[in-house]
Amino acid sequence: PDPTDFIQNRMKIEPNIFEYISNTVDPTKLHFYVNFADANLFGFYRGSLFAQDEIMCLEHPILAALREKLIAASQDKAQDSKLMPYCRGSVVIM
């Protein structure tokens, strides 16, 4: 499915708590999960609290790898990268 389909009024908003529903139920639908954590993207995934960053990175380990890649890119002076692990707005990871 096209990840921008929701822009064409196909977004469904439900007044309930977040449920992690598998995409295998209906593979034509995309599921987005909101992260109200810190602006430091997944900055606490290695912590001991087992809060949102830790849970999300446990469920999707690629998020921890993404953070490490962003850190490495931001510190690589030779690459002059604009990538960084800090966010001042919304981030959509697909």
Side-chain angles (χ1 to χ4, degrees):
D2 181 355
T4 61
D5 278 350
F6 71 92
I7 295 171
Q8 300 170 8
N9 299 317
R10 295 185 192 173
M11 185 185 312
K12 181 179 178 184
I13 300 174
E14 296 181 8
N16 60 13
I17 64 169
F18 294 110
E19 296 178 27
Y20 289 91
I21 301 170
S22 171
N23 276 351
T24 59
V25 173
D26 185 350
T28 65
K29 293 182 180 178
L30 292 175
H31 298 273
F32 293 89
Y33 300 103
V34 180
N35 183 349
F36 292 108
D38 198 80
N40 189 358
L41 292 175
F42 308 108
F44 309 100
Y45 81 93
R46 292 186 286 187
S48 61
L49 294 177
F50 204 65
Q52 189 169 22
D53 283 354
E54 295 88 349
I55 293 169
M56 290 182 79
C57 289
L58 178 65
E59 292 174 333
H60 309 286
I62 194 73
L63 297 175
L66 172 62
R67 173 167 177 76
E68 296 302 322
K69 177 66 175 174
L70 291 172
I71 290 171
S74 70
Q75 294 174 347
D76 187 354
K77 303 297 182 201
Q79 296 292 327
D80 192 30
S81 176
K82 293 183 179 11
L83 294 175
M84 61 180 51
Y86 304 101
C87 171
R88 298 184 90 186
S90 300
V91 174
V92 177
I93 302 170
M94 296 185 176

